[in-house]
Amino acid sequence: MKTLLLDDFSDLAPWMTVASGQASLVLASDVGPSGPAMRMDFDFRGGGGFVVARRLLGMTLPESYAFRLEIRGEGPPNKLEFKLVDPGGANVWRYQQELRDLGAGWHTLTIPTRAIEFAWGPAGGSGAR
């Protein structure tokens, strides 16, 4: 399978943040296992909600693909989601893990095609898979 680097995190300007309720999220540059990394500093302020780091990329996915991320984290286990959105923003596909413990050490998270499911939208399940 051909590898395509989507972001080397040397510039965080293309990234946007979204936070619900009282939650906050700040993105910062950091050092990863093999170069620059993006750090997500978030605080739920004792309540629920969500935080999102979002980047728009214009690309067509092949029939079979996988996303590979190097991740680590601190804090209690929480839901982890990775979403793909069509160009019009109407259809969403996602990978999710309930109560994910990110772990303090770097490790690889691989998200293959088969792990990404249709979430919502008028496409009714076709498209990103």
Side-chain angles (χ1 to χ4, degrees):
M1 184 180 292
K2 180 181 172 185
T3 299
L4 173 65
L5 181 64
L6 298 179
D7 198 324
D8 67 2
F9 298 108
S10 61
D11 178 14
L12 300 183
W15 289 87
M16 299 166 276
T17 63
V18 177
S20 71
Q22 297 298 313
S24 66
L25 172 62
V26 175
L27 303 180
S29 294
D30 209 332
V31 178
S34 59
M38 177 176 65
R39 188 178 71 236
M40 298 173 62
D41 295 326
F42 57 90
D43 187 349
F44 292 111
R45 295 187 174 96
F50 60 84
V51 295
V52 175
R54 181 178 181 181
R55 168 128 192 230
L56 301 177
L57 294 169
M59 61 186 296
T60 300
L61 295 172
E63 187 172 320
S64 179
Y65 57 87
F67 289 94
R68 189 170 43 244
L69 310 118
E70 298 294 328
I71 64 172
R72 70 179 178 92
E74 296 177 17
N78 205 327
K79 186 173 188 175
L80 171 71
E81 290 192 31
F82 178 88
K83 293 181 180 173
L84 301 172
V85 182
D86 71 2
N91 297 289
V92 178
W93 295 261
R94 70 180 168 198
Y95 165 82
Q96 55 185 341
Q97 285 186 345
E98 296 291 334
L99 298 177
R100 170 70 191 226
D101 182 1
L102 294 174
W106 288 101
H107 57 278
T108 302
L109 171 63
T110 301
I111 306 170
T113 307
R114 68 182 177 281
I116 297 175
E117 299 177 342
F118 183 74
W120 62 82
S126 64
R129 291 194 79 179

